[in-house]
Amino acid sequence: MNIMISGGGTGGHIYPALTIYKTLETMVDANFLYVGTERGLESRIVPKEGIPFTTLPVQGLQRTLSLDTLVTAGKTISSLWKANRLISKFQPDIVIGTGGYVCGPLLLAAALRGIPTLIQEQNVVPGITNKILSRFVDVVAVGYEEATPHFPNAKRVVYTGNPVRPNVVTANREEARAYFGLQETQTAILVAGGSRGARSINKAMLAVHEHYKGREDIKIIHATGTDEYSRVCESLGIQGGEVYSPTSHIVPYLDNMDMAMAASDMAIFRSGAIGLAELAVRGIPSILIPYPYAAADHQTFNAKAFVEAGASTMIVDKELDGTRLLQSVDAMLEDQECRQRMAQATLQLGKPQAAIEIATLALSIKKS
């Protein structure tokens, strides 16, 4: 069997694709080819996983008519032609896309040739590429039930949940808490705003670190993002690598996010779909601060789904400051019963078998 997978631009598209790939790899004997872009994160991440990788020249459509729009249109036509060539050469039995502009020409070319196709949509509000593709592909696997009405012309929509890395599901809590030096009575707060960091969250967190400095019953695990680390350290008056206080574990990036989640009791997060899916399978209640510039404001809609389920509270980014964040953290810390209810509500949103469901769905559409 030959399986082609595509997802590009951001980690929110790439990591679901990798999770689906790794799941399929355990289920079938197949040749895989990952199709991405030269400039996207996938060009650095995917080859490290040992997956055959190739690229298509494509970029996002501009909202206004300009020379860039014409250049983009030209690249899209060229990409469609090159996608056809890739398909002819690789002869895929299934083509799977997880979002990003690169998926457009590849899945469209495959669908028009009658090759079984599946797209996986992570967010409550779908991206424009997946909305267009839904008219042509065989099946759309959605991460949220609330996304289903956004695909009225799709042949088939299935609610599977979002694929979560197996190590996030299986990480041992006791081992994880020991790794971070957590005592049994300590409440662990995980803070992350993405690999590059979220400046608004990091700025508000300065007051939180200062307020809880010296508290023996709390441990804050704060991943600032690589671009923000030196700024946070300077603001707190510490050099990189120094410990601000026994309460605060501040790092630029968490390579072991699975362990951090397993160790944590609550979280302060952006509301990207995959991050939320990982919080859900671990049952971690959260304070969500949606990224305000996400396409179609999809992070706000993701967050609202968790708030309405009783799993999270939300602070709008423009209203975020140290005082507001500290009030929310205090409220969650002081009401343990509420936090436990939120944890149960979060766990109810979890879909730990999503990757298996998506992989099984993809295999089911293969032509015999």
Side-chain angles (χ1 to χ4, degrees):
M1 189 186 302
N2 295 330
I3 301 175
M4 193 175 270
I5 299 178
S6 181
T10 68
H13 294 142
I14 300 162
Y15 290 114
L18 289 176
T19 301
I20 294 167
Y21 154 73
K22 290 176 181 178
T23 304
L24 282 166
E25 197 178 34
T26 67
M27 297 170 68
V28 292
D29 182 15
N31 301 307
F32 292 89
L33 179 64
Y34 195 111
V35 182
T37 62
E38 291 181 358
R39 295 183 180 181
L41 285 173
E42 66 272 19
S43 65
R44 298 193 297 274
I45 295 171
V46 175
K48 290 180 181 179
E49 297 290 335
I51 310 170
F53 178 78
T54 192
T55 63
L56 284 176
V58 67
Q59 65 189 53
L61 294 172
Q62 305 298 315
R63 299 294 181 183
T64 56
L65 185 62
S66 65
L67 181 60
D68 285 343
T69 308
L70 298 176
V71 171
T72 300
K75 286 191 174 184
T76 301
I77 294 169
S78 172
S79 295
L80 195 58
W81 179 72
K82 290 188 176 183
N84 263 304
R85 289 186 61 188
L86 275 177
I87 289 167
S88 294
K89 184 177 180 180
F90 187 68
Q91 292 291 307
D93 295 288
I94 309 166
V95 181
I96 300 167
T98 57
Y101 297 114
V102 68
C103 289
L106 186 72
L107 273 86
L108 180 59
L112 292 176
R113 291 176 61 158
I115 297 169
T117 47
L118 176 148
I119 56 173
Q120 195 269 322
E121 172 56 55
Q122 297 89 38
N123 298 294
V124 171
V125 178
I128 187 171
T129 301
N130 280 354
K131 278 186 176 180
I132 294 169
L133 287 173
S134 68
R135 296 169 177 263
F136 300 94
V137 300
D138 293 285
V139 63
V140 182
V142 294
Y144 290 88
E145 283 188 282
E146 293 90 339
T148 302
H150 292 278
F151 296 107
N153 299 305
K155 295 178 184 177
R156 186 180 174 200
V157 180
V158 180
Y159 168 52
T160 59
N162 282 315
V164 174
R165 295 171 293 170
N167 56 337
V168 172
V169 179
T170 59
N172 181 273
R173 179 171 170 82
E174 287 70 29
E175 290 177 5
R177 287 181 70 85
Y179 176 86
F180 285 102
L182 286 157
Q183 303 300 315
E184 187 177 344
T185 56
Q186 282 184 308
T187 299
I189 305 171
L190 175 61
V191 186
S195 59
R196 292 186 175 181
R199 181 166 297 180
S200 59
I201 294 177
N202 289 333
K203 187 176 179 181
M205 277 301 300
L206 300 176
V208 178
H209 284 296
E210 180 62 31
H211 180 79
Y212 292 117
K213 188 175 183 179
R215 281 273 297 264
E216 295 183 357
D217 59 331
I218 292 167
K219 183 72 167 280
I220 301 169
I221 303 169
H222 182 183
T224 64
T226 51
D227 294 351
E228 285 282 299
Y229 182 61
S230 59
R231 188 189 306 274
V232 171
C233 289
E234 183 179 346
S235 297
L236 291 173
I238 59 175
Q239 298 296 318
E242 287 186 7
V243 177
Y244 177 61
S245 81
T247 303
S248 301
H249 177 81
I250 304 171
V251 294
Y253 186 78
L254 282 164
D255 289 314
N256 47 4
M257 181 60 83
D258 56 328
M259 295 284 279
M261 285 195 172
S264 297
D265 301 290
M266 55 183 282
I268 300 167
F269 258 49
R270 286 298 196 199
S271 46
I274 300 305
L276 291 184
E278 293 182 342
L279 291 177
V281 298
R282 295 300 319 192
I284 302 173
S286 55
I287 299 166
L288 301 177
I289 301 115
Y291 178 58
Y293 305 111
D297 199 22
H298 67 256
Q299 285 208 7
T300 296
F301 289 95
N302 292 349
K304 283 181 177 178
F306 270 60
V307 172
E308 288 169 7
S312 307
T313 61
M314 180 174 71
I315 302 174
V316 178
D317 194 89
K318 66 181 180 181
E319 297 176 359
L320 178 68
D321 60 23
T323 301
R324 179 73 185 277
L325 183 58
L326 191 54
Q327 288 173 345
S328 295
V329 173
D330 264 339
M332 196 175 286
L333 284 173
E334 291 173 7
D335 194 339
Q336 188 172 355
E337 287 186 7
C338 177
R339 199 167 72 240
Q340 288 174 345
R341 288 195 301 272
M342 291 175 71
Q344 285 300 312
T346 307
L347 201 58
Q348 290 296 313
L349 295 172
K351 297 279 284 185
Q353 300 299 311
I356 294 173
E357 288 187 34
I358 295 165
T360 302
L361 188 60
L363 294 174
S364 74
I365 62 174
K366 177 186 175 293
K367 292 180 179 178
S368 56

